[in-house]
Amino acid sequence: MTNPTGAPAPSAPSAAPSAPTADERPYSPGLEGVIGAESAIGLVDGKNGRLLYRGYRIGELVERGTYAQVADLLWTGEWHPDATLPPAPVPPAVLTALREMPRDSHPMDALRTAVSVWGATQRLAWPPTPEQARALTAFSPSALAAFGRLRQGLEPVEPDTSLGLAGGFLQQLNGAAPDAAAARALDAYFIVGAEHGLNASTFTARVITSTRSDIASAVCGAIGALKGPLHGGAPSEVVNQLHAIGSPERAEAWVREAVGRGERIMGFGHRIYRAYDPRAAALRTVADEMGTNADWLDMAVRVEDVVLRVLADMKPGRVLKTNVEYYAAAVLQGVGLPPDLFPSVFALARHAGWTAHSIEQAGANKLIRPDMRYTGPAERQLPA
Ligand code: COA
């Protein structure tokens, strides 16, 4: 028997043990179940509904911390209460590139382009450092806000460096000082979105870093991975769903009909969490405390109760709880962001995690280079 390479398949073990070939080792599509890294950054404990950053629970971090402190924790491993992260100005070369982009460009394309040009304006030595991570994480919200204005025919505004990163993003997007509750809510969303294990975009960042490429290249690749709908999530679909439901009174009938047709209710269920998603719990508290858009949030909270009750009734064999997307939608809509910016705002939040993984990867680097099983034709000759 031969495999497609034309080599005979292995038979009886020989006296001298040799490394198994790619045909002998198990293949896991999507690398599911494969341990691809060791990391001290975050723990996603789906069974118990826990998410820890460097050992601290997400709920406590949202309640007592800021994104600046949390990002610093992810980069350094230490809790520095005085950590700050003001928004950084956008270099002229980046603004030139953003001005040249079509106004209807996908905001993720604009963000990825901005990070790429930013990288070209820096001298980013390898290995990546917390200082590089800080500079990049502080730059990106300003760049996305600049694009958000340019696409409306408005001029970008300078960042107010007395603000935190989330508030500074809102100020640069809207051209006005942000509402304090909105800035706090978006900061909480940034904390919740900062890190979530070896997901596709984080893995991408680690792969790029493992080649000794720079941190901006790692984040560009990560943004590209996050742009895909299988990863970037769709809190905007939650917004559309709430619009379709219309009012809490209509929720029960709407949800029963949708589940009866075999449809999914957006913002519920999770592949890993078999308990209430701790990020949703943290954001629900934040959403409850927000003064802005109170009617919309009130409706989201009341519809959630109905959906949980109906899902428990109609899918009794499953644990279907609220996931992060539901309250991400509530917060992002509540602070007045347009739904088409939701994925790119998620990317801003994830900068802390991506760059922390880039630093960690470089610290114990080994080129990431998995093996492949060849399934093409056996060796052959071109036609005469
Ligand atoms: N609404 C209604 N039913 C749901 C559901 C939802 N949101 N999520 C899962 N189910 C049901 C499925 O219909 C299926 O029912 P069945 O066994 O009667 O056929 C059962 O639960 C298992 O579904 P499965 O897709 O195998 O579960 P999963 O854990 O792999 O799915 C998600 C995880 C996230 C893909 C899924 O819950 C989903 O599609 N949710 C809605 C989209 C969403 O909110 N995505 C953001 C995730 S952060």
Side-chain angles (χ1 to χ4, degrees), residues 200-210 218-219 221-222 354 357-358 361:
S201 60
T202 300
F203 185 54
T204 303
R206 291 190 77 121
V207 170
I208 293 173
T209 300
S210 82
V219 169
W354 288 332
H357 278 273
S358 182
Q361 174 66 36

Side-chain angles (χ1 to χ4, degrees), residues 264-265 267-271 274 315 318 320 323 325:
R264 303 289 171 101
I265 308 301
F268 296 84
H270 198 274
R271 181 62 53 81
R274 286 288 166 256
K315 300 274 176 188
R318 294 286 300 186
L320 291 173
N323 67 45
E325 306 285 359

Side-chain angles (χ1 to χ4, degrees), residues 233-234 237-238 259 262-274 277 279 311 314-315 318 320 323-326:
E237 287 184 40
V238 174
V259 177
E263 290 174 14
R264 303 289 171 101
I265 308 301
M266 292 297 136
F268 296 84
H270 198 274
R271 181 62 53 81
I272 296 177
Y273 292 115
R274 286 288 166 256
D277 183 335
R279 302 167 299 168
L311 285 177
M314 295 184 73
K315 300 274 176 188
R318 294 286 300 186
L320 291 173
N323 67 45
V324 67
E325 306 285 359
Y326 192 78

Side-chain angles (χ1 to χ4, degrees), residues 64-108:
R64 299 193 29 214
T66 63
Y67 183 69
Q69 293 164 328
V70 168
D72 189 79
L73 171 73
L74 293 173
W75 295 325
T76 67
E78 305 295 330
W79 183 252
H80 296 128
D82 51 356
T84 58
L85 192 60
V90 182
V94 177
L95 281 179
T96 304
L98 291 176
R99 285 183 201 282
E100 290 298 316
M101 295 193 73
R103 282 192 185 175
D104 62 353
S105 300
H106 194 304
M108 288 291 263

Side-chain angles (χ1 to χ4, degrees), residues 42-304:
L43 172 70
V44 183
D45 176 4
K47 193 159 156 258
N48 298 304
R50 278 191 316 160
L51 173 62
L52 308 182
Y53 294 173
R54 301 274 188 195
Y56 299 111
R57 275 183 187 261
I58 191 69
E60 193 182 9
L61 291 169
V62 167
E63 201 183 312
R64 299 193 29 214
T66 63
Y67 183 69
Q69 293 164 328
V70 168
D72 189 79
L73 171 73
L74 293 173
W75 295 325
T76 67
E78 305 295 330
W79 183 252
H80 296 128
D82 51 356
T84 58
L85 192 60
V90 182
V94 177
L95 281 179
T96 304
L98 291 176
R99 285 183 201 282
E100 290 298 316
M101 295 193 73
R103 282 192 185 175
D104 62 353
S105 300
H106 194 304
M108 288 291 263
D109 291 337
L111 181 62
R112 193 193 58 236
T113 303
V115 172
S116 185
V117 178
W118 179 87
T121 67
Q122 313 289 309
R123 292 279 174 270
L124 294 166
W126 199 92
T129 61
E131 289 67 38
Q132 292 177 358
R134 196 169 285 123
L136 176 48
T137 305
F139 151 80
S140 287
S142 305
L144 182 62
F147 176 72
R149 291 182 72 78
L150 288 168
R151 71 176 182 164
Q152 297 178 70
L154 300 170
E155 274 302 298
V157 297
E158 286 291 312
D160 176 348
T161 51
S162 69
L163 296 168
L165 211 55
F169 171 65
L170 292 175
Q171 171 256 330
Q172 290 177 88
L173 187 66
N174 301 325
D179 171 75
R184 164 74 190 124
L186 189 61
D187 193 73
Y189 169 79
F190 272 33
I191 294 173
V192 159
E195 156 66 7
H196 210 240
L198 199 61
N199 50 76
S201 60
T202 300
F203 185 54
T204 303
R206 291 190 77 121
V207 170
I208 293 173
T209 300
S210 82
T211 70
R212 297 202 178 184
S213 186
D214 61 278
I215 199 168
S217 299
V219 169
C220 280
I223 293 170
L226 188 68
K227 186 182 170 196
L230 291 188
H231 184 13
S236 53
E237 287 184 40
V238 174
V239 174
N240 296 339
Q241 179 179 276
L242 282 168
H243 282 308
I245 292 173
S247 73
E249 292 69 37
R250 291 190 48 204
E252 174 132 12
W254 193 96
V255 175
R256 281 192 184 279
E257 275 172 33
V259 177
R261 284 193 301 269
E263 290 174 14
R264 303 289 171 101
I265 308 301
M266 292 297 136
F268 296 84
H270 198 274
R271 181 62 53 81
I272 296 177
Y273 292 115
R274 286 288 166 256
Y276 200 103
D277 183 335
R279 302 167 299 168
L283 283 185
R284 176 173 175 159
T285 309
V286 171
D288 279 346
E289 289 164 6
M290 274 174 74
T292 50
N293 241 327
D295 290 350
W296 199 87
L297 290 172
D298 181 55
M299 159 140 161
V301 170
R302 289 170 61 194
V303 167
E304 181 197 16

